[in-house]
Amino acid sequence: MTSHRPTSQPDSTDQPFASASGKAGSGKGVQRQDEIYRAISDAVIEHRLKPGARLREDALAEVFGISRTGIRKVLQRLALEQLVTLTPGKGASVTRPSAEEAREVFEARRLVESGLLAMLTRRITADELKELRALAGEEQQALQEHEQSVAIKLSAAFHNRLAALAGNQTLARFVDQLCSRSSLILAVYGHAGNLGCECSDHNQLVDLLQAGESEQAAIFMCRHLDSIEASLSIDDAPEEAPDLRDIFSAYQ
Amino acid sequence: MTSHRPTSQPDSTDQPFASASGKAGSGKGVQRQDEIYRAISDAVIEHRLKPGARLREDALAEVFGISRTGIRKVLQRLALEQLVTLTPGKGASVTRPSAEEAREVFEARRLVESGLLAMLTRRITADELKELRALAGEEQQALQEHEQSVAIKLSAAFHNRLAALAGNQTLARFVDQLCSRSSLILAVYGHAGNLGCECSDHNQLVDLLQAGESEQAAIFMCRHLDSIEASLSIDDAPEEAPDLRDIFSAYQ
DNA sequence: TTGGGCGCTATTGTATACATTTCGGGGTGA
DNA sequence: TCACCCCGAAATGTATACAATAGCGCCCAA
């Protein structure tokens, strides 16, 4: 009964946006898989799927109305971006970043994002500044309305857009990945009500950009990321491998 | 007759190092796929597979003695690292980087690698310096013996090792990818005898590292990468999409 | 002889079947 | 009562079968 499709009944009702015919169809297929990728990715970034959550292929295949083949492709992609971890013989689960990984991600972001800001001050336009301000505003509003998952996504969107505007897609994609992983790190090491980014930081950053203070903006970005990292409680092995021998050594 | 396996006869003779049983075997399977990944990746980096070369799934499956399923996994991974391009309905081919892409890769490398050097001067040990010198020496030797493909790989290995020693695996992996893509860029836009890296540059870089001149080392790295980029002949559309409308505009 | 339509072959895209591994339960023996 | 082993269910890993598509040459007509 593992069959993910009743075969006697079309499942168009299961997933209203499932690729109509249910059979092959290459052109649309990749598009569909892209949707699924984004769906899972968003769920992870918005903390609807928490680190450690198992992602069974059969279950996902049934939910999205495609076969395991397509799901595996999506999972592999997510694994290469380190959003999910693929343990051989065990399956996929949402990545639970290690403390070391967290340190690395923020170090990388400081290096890359501050560098991007320097490039950005030379080429940004008034319209783009306005767009960034709008994003920062939306984020702040979501935060005030306690829409945490929306705020998390908008915060990442701000950083992403910043990277994209610097005119280097390669770096922008890297920043995208780092932002996604940051969201995972926040999920593991962040405190409950803490979004990571301070409310007003992004607006101040836009101010510096507008003033053309590239040095100051870069420094501010480093501080911004530092403060996020500092707000985390990163202890080396929080829960992932409770060493009972060590914990109960007094009773042995 | 497209069947890539006679089915009546075990093909263990086709590939002496093919995963023994020829059937399933998860634990070893991923290891095997990793080998295949590296085999193709190396071939691309060493210019044995040139940009634009088609990579048919059946052919690869037969060569490596596994089914198309495994090959597709490897190709997808290569595609995400932008070493191969996956055109829907058409298949895989070695990526032919655009001029814009080339610019981006070198810009990214300048930013990241110079930043890594700054981190590196604070933590590098004498042994590690010796190792880097050895790598630079090997590279120079290969270059003198006109072993171009070996030299290319060693050059990338030098930059990779540099990144790894900085103690940030996330950034090191990114640099790895950028180096691989650089090799592709050299294959398309580089001149025949030009390796990219100047012979003595890497040695000089180690000198600066050893002296603890982090600022100077970072500047030198930027210049180093600049000179590689400058040695390329990047014209916007060399051969990939000859815009006939533009070329023959006088006749229209 | 050329231009356009058509069918064929080669190749990719997707689904499914089967082998293998892992994890948990229960039973047996010391 | 505890430890160990074996077995079975569930899930993954791999291969193969089948459907659809793209490329290409052929044929036919003007």
Side-chain angles (χ1 to χ4, degrees):
Chain A
M1 261 298 237
T2 66
S3 144
H4 48 77
R5 185 171 295 188
T7 66
S8 59
Q9 187 174 1
D11 61 348
S12 56
T13 54
D14 291 336
Q15 278 296 319
F17 53 97
S19 110
S21 70
K23 287 275 185 165
S26 68
K28 315 269 181 164
V30 288
Q31 199 173 346
R32 173 77 182 127
Q33 286 176 355
D34 234 55
E35 277 177 49
I36 297 173
Y37 163 79
R38 212 161 311 168
I40 299 179
S41 177
D42 279 358
V44 170
I45 290 170
E46 294 176 18
H47 298 182
R48 299 201 310 271
L49 277 174
K50 295 208 167 57
R54 290 209 46 193
L55 301 171
R56 289 191 308 104
E57 298 178 353
D58 274 343
L60 289 172
E62 193 171 5
V63 167
F64 290 109
I66 67 172
S67 79
R68 277 177 53 212
T69 307
I71 293 294
R72 289 181 68 93
K73 204 148 83 172
V74 172
L75 286 178
Q76 209 205 338
R77 178 171 167 194
L78 288 163
L80 287 174
E81 296 177 2
Q82 310 210 240
L83 287 188
V84 316
T85 300
L86 237 49
T87 312
K90 180 88 187 304
S93 61
V94 179
T95 296
R96 185 194 298 280
S98 69
E100 172 65 11
E101 218 179 311
R103 188 193 63 76
E104 288 186 1
V105 167
F106 280 101
E107 187 173 65
R109 286 187 65 177
R110 275 191 298 269
L111 175 59
V112 175
E113 294 200 58
S114 69
L116 280 173
L117 275 186
M119 293 157 50
L120 196 52
T121 43
R122 288 198 301 270
R123 55 155 37 226
I124 197 165
T125 68
D127 279 349
E128 291 166 349
L129 280 167
K130 229 163 96 180
E131 185 192 345
L132 285 176
R133 248 184 231 294
L135 269 174
E138 278 185 71
E139 180 194 346
Q140 210 158 349
Q141 185 178 357
L143 205 57
Q144 280 167 8
E145 291 169 4
H146 299 287
E147 304 247 17
Q148 181 133 1
S149 68
V150 178
I152 290 174
K153 209 160 89 172
L154 284 170
S155 172
F158 180 85
H159 284 268
N160 288 348
R161 193 75 192 114
L162 216 54
L165 290 177
N168 188 317
Q169 204 184 352
T170 298
L171 282 171
R173 278 179 54 173
F174 185 52
V175 170
D176 278 7
Q177 282 184 31
L178 292 176
C179 286
S180 302
R181 291 173 69 186
S182 294
S183 180
L184 273 180
I185 292 166
L186 283 174
V188 176
Y189 301 106
H191 297 152
N194 188 358
L195 173 68
C197 295
E198 298 292 327
C199 309
S200 59
D201 272 11
H202 289 172
N203 265 318
Q204 287 182 48
L205 196 55
V206 180
D207 288 341
L208 288 171
L209 266 178
Q210 190 154 25
E213 307 258 16
S214 76
E215 291 279 326
Q216 289 302 313
I219 293 174
F220 188 84
M221 176 61 91
C222 283
R223 292 240 181 90
H224 175 56
L225 292 168
D226 271 333
S227 81
I228 299 176
E229 190 176 1
S231 79
L232 306 176
S233 47
I234 300 185
D235 21 17
D236 250 344
E239 56 186 318
E240 87 178 299
D243 187 352
L244 296 181
R245 242 189 306 266
D246 185 40
I247 293 173
F248 298 119
S249 58
Y251 300 88
Q252 281 179 341
Chain B
M1 261 300 236
T2 65
S3 146
H4 48 76
R5 186 172 295 189
T7 66
S8 59
Q9 186 174 0
D11 60 348
S12 56
T13 55
D14 290 339
Q15 277 296 315
F17 55 96
S19 117
S21 70
K23 287 276 185 164
S26 70
K28 316 266 182 168
V30 287
Q31 198 173 346
R32 173 76 182 131
Q33 286 177 355
D34 235 55
E35 278 177 48
I36 297 173
Y37 163 79
R38 214 162 309 166
I40 299 179
S41 178
D42 279 358
V44 170
I45 291 170
E46 296 176 18
H47 298 183
R48 297 201 312 272
L49 276 174
K50 296 207 165 58
R54 289 209 49 192
L55 301 171
R56 289 193 305 106
E57 298 178 352
D58 273 342
L60 290 172
E62 194 170 4
V63 166
F64 290 108
I66 66 171
S67 79
R68 277 176 52 210
T69 308
I71 293 294
R72 288 181 70 91
K73 206 150 81 174
V74 172
L75 286 178
Q76 208 205 339
R77 178 171 166 192
L78 288 163
L80 286 174
E81 296 178 1
Q82 310 208 241
L83 287 188
V84 316
T85 301
L86 238 48
T87 312
K90 178 87 186 303
S93 61
V94 178
T95 297
R96 185 193 298 278
S98 69
E100 173 65 12
E101 219 178 312
R103 188 193 64 77
E104 288 186 1
V105 167
F106 280 100
E107 187 174 64
R109 286 188 64 177
R110 275 191 298 271
L111 175 58
V112 174
E113 294 200 57
S114 69
L116 281 172
L117 275 186
M119 293 157 49
L120 197 52
T121 44
R122 288 198 303 270
R123 53 151 44 221
I124 198 165
T125 68
D127 279 349
E128 290 166 350
L129 280 167
K130 229 163 94 178
E131 185 191 345
L132 286 176
R133 247 183 232 297
L135 269 175
E138 278 185 73
E139 181 194 344
Q140 212 160 347
Q141 186 179 356
L143 205 57
Q144 280 166 9
E145 292 169 3
H146 298 285
E147 303 248 18
Q148 181 133 2
S149 69
V150 179
I152 290 173
K153 209 160 91 174
L154 284 169
S155 172
F158 180 86
H159 284 269
N160 287 349
R161 192 78 192 112
L162 216 56
L165 290 177
N168 188 318
Q169 205 184 351
T170 298
L171 281 172
R173 278 180 53 175
F174 185 50
V175 171
D176 279 8
Q177 282 183 31
L178 292 177
C179 285
S180 303
R181 290 173 70 185
S182 294
S183 181
L184 272 181
I185 291 167
L186 283 175
V188 176
Y189 300 106
H191 296 152
N194 186 359
L195 175 68
C197 294
E198 298 293 325
C199 308
S200 58
D201 271 12
H202 289 172
N203 266 318
Q204 287 182 49
L205 196 56
V206 181
D207 289 341
L208 287 171
L209 265 179
Q210 191 155 25
E213 306 258 18
S214 77
E215 291 278 328
Q216 289 301 313
I219 293 174
F220 188 83
M221 175 62 92
C222 283
R223 291 239 182 90
H224 175 54
L225 292 168
D226 271 334
S227 81
I228 299 176
E229 190 176 0
S231 80
L232 305 176
S233 48
I234 301 185
D235 21 19
D236 249 345
E239 56 186 318
E240 83 177 304
D243 189 351
L244 297 180
R245 240 187 308 262
D246 186 38
I247 292 173
F248 299 118
S249 58
Y251 298 88
Q252 282 177 341

